[in-house]
Each structure stands twice: as C-alpha cells, then as structure tokens.
Amino acid sequence: DGGITQSPKYLFRKEGQNVTLSCEQNLNHDAMYWYRQDPGQGLRLIYYSQIVNDFQKGDIAEGYSVSREKKESFPLTVTSAQKNPTAFYLCASSHSNEQFFGPGTRLTVL
Amino acid sequence: GENVEQHPSTLSVQEGDSAVIKCTYSDSASNYFPWYKQELGKRPQLIIDIRSNVGEKKDQRIAVTLNKTAKHFSLHITETQPEDSAVYFCAADKNSGGYQKVTFGTGTKLQVIP
C-alpha cells in the first residue's frame, strides 16, 4: 500500500471556494490518474497524465484542473465551477498497466 | 469512448459457494482487463487481470474469462470466504495516442454470508 500518498484525508470546503488535493508518489511511475468515486457509480476518470508537463481530460473533467510539474506530484484543484464536488477522490499511478491507488481524500462541500 | 457495464451491482452468497461477476465493454481496441477489489474503507487493489490475447486466467480461487467476440469478461470466485466480502470493479484499458486510458465498471458489492 505504500508509495502513493494523498492529503488531506478529509477536507471541508465552503461553496464558491477552490480547493487543491495533493497526490505524491515515490514509485517512479510515469502515469498518474485522478478518479472520483460516488456510490453506485464506480470510479470515474477526471484527468490523467502520462509524462511531466502533459495531461489529458478524462470523462468528467469539467470544474477540475491539474498540473504535472514534477514526476512525483499530480495535484487536483476542484474549482467553484464544479457543481457537485462532494465525493471521494482517488489518485493512482501506474507503470505498465497495473494501477496503484492512494488512500483517497473525502471532500465535503458545506 | 469506452463504456463498461458491470452486473450485478450487489451479490450475496453463502460461504463456500461460488460468485460470478460479469462485465461488458464497447471498444474493441481495449486490450487489457483488470479486476480490482476494494475492501471497506480501503483503496482498490488489483487482484487479477487478463490481456486480449488470452481467453482465461486463474489464480488459486479466482479466475477471469474473456470473450473478445462478444466483448465480455467475467470474474469467478470459488469457495468463497468472508474475507472475500468487498466491492469488485472491472475495467477496460486501451492505449490511445500513447496514453493508457482506463474505464471502470460501476462495481459489485459482494457479501459472503458465514
């Protein structure tokens, strides 16, 4: 389970505020991913990055932004444009095909 | 884009019985099909996977089958144990323009009754 970390574990935000979720990995993986997990909807892909300084929109990118300035880090910003941001967010990294997930951040908008 | 459907959404079995979870995918370019297990409050972890050039793969009590023509694949768990209780996700993975993109199913909550 080690090697990929997310912080914080729980995050509360007021409506209209942007918030950034951290994801760090020391597995030397090139690819990193952000997923949103809602009950009954599985894991939905928000953004993914194959290399530093490059990333692609996933299936539900609206209202989110990312950066990939370092290989180890792939932070996700949830902007005020995201209409329903309360969810569990999972970050993952991979080398070859297997994805290694972080412990997740539960975001609640008050 | 890829669409992965997973059934059933919930499954209850008696300890010792078998459990089968089925998934279908839409994109024939998908070539890698992993299964992840997520225990309550924990992160998903890979339990078995299969590539498109293989029809079946087995690892102890767990097996996966793939039918490329019909675009469906299944997870089979035999001799179920209480510790098998978890949410299971199937996924379809393809290389698109140099990017490995994964699409997950909606998950199956498996309950093994002692």
Side-chain angles (χ1 to χ4, degrees):
Chain A
D1 283 359
I4 180 163
T5 59
Q6 292 183 243
S7 62
K9 187 173 182 179
Y10 298 97
L11 189 56
F12 297 89
R13 176 197 110 174
K14 293 182 180 179
E15 277 193 36
Q17 289 182 337
N18 292 354
V19 63
T20 297
L21 282 58
S22 168
C23 178
E24 303 278 334
Q25 54 100 359
N26 62 5
L27 300 169
N28 200 34
H29 289 168
D30 288 315
M32 296 188 75
Y33 305 78
W34 273 106
Y35 296 93
R36 171 178 171 144
Q37 186 172 24
D38 296 284
Q41 296 197 53
L43 303 171
R44 293 184 291 166
L45 182 64
I46 305 173
Y47 268 97
Y48 57 115
S49 169
Q50 207 72 14
I51 55 174
V52 174
N53 292 323
D54 195 14
F55 47 82
Q56 300 290 317
K57 291 183 178 179
D59 300 316
I60 56 166
E62 186 176 351
Y64 300 97
S65 66
V66 293
S67 63
R68 187 83 188 277
E69 296 177 2
K70 298 186 301 181
K71 187 176 185 177
E72 301 80 17
S73 178
F74 192 40
L76 174 74
T77 296
V78 184
T79 75
S80 57
Q82 169 51 235
K83 298 305 178 188
N84 185 23
T86 294
F88 187 59
Y89 291 87
L90 281 163
C91 177
S93 69
S94 75
H95 174 72
S96 185
N97 290 108
E98 179 178 356
Q99 299 216 343
F100 294 84
F101 287 87
T105 292
R106 186 165 297 281
L107 173 65
T108 302
V109 174
L110 304 172
Chain B
E2 175 66 277
N3 181 45
V4 177
E5 295 191 357
Q6 183 173 347
H7 300 281
S9 57
T10 60
L11 179 60
S12 291
V13 299
Q14 290 292 135
E15 182 178 357
D17 288 349
S18 295
V20 180
I21 302 170
K22 298 182 178 182
C23 288
T24 61
Y25 62 99
S26 60
D27 192 340
S28 56
S30 291
N31 55 11
Y32 173 71
F33 306 91
W35 287 87
Y36 288 83
K37 175 183 180 182
Q38 186 177 27
E39 296 178 22
L40 189 63
K42 296 190 176 180
R43 67 192 83 186
Q45 290 191 305
L46 180 73
I47 56 170
I48 196 167
D49 56 15
I50 192 167
R51 297 193 180 275
S52 58
N53 59 348
V54 176
E56 184 173 355
K57 184 177 178 179
K58 189 174 181 180
D59 182 4
Q60 299 182 358
R61 296 186 296 109
I62 295 173
V64 58
T65 59
L66 171 65
N67 184 326
K68 282 173 52 180
T69 303
K71 295 196 187 73
H72 67 70
F73 55 114
S74 300
L75 177 71
H76 304 253
I77 306 174
T78 59
E79 300 171 23
T80 53
Q81 301 169 3
E83 51 265 38
D84 294 330
S85 296
V87 178
Y88 291 82
F89 294 98
C90 64
D93 189 342
K94 70 173 185 178
N95 190 302
S96 175
Y99 285 85
Q100 208 72 28
K101 186 180 178 187
V102 184
T103 303
F104 284 84
T106 51
T108 296
K109 184 175 182 180
L110 173 64
Q111 181 184 20
V112 179
I113 303 166

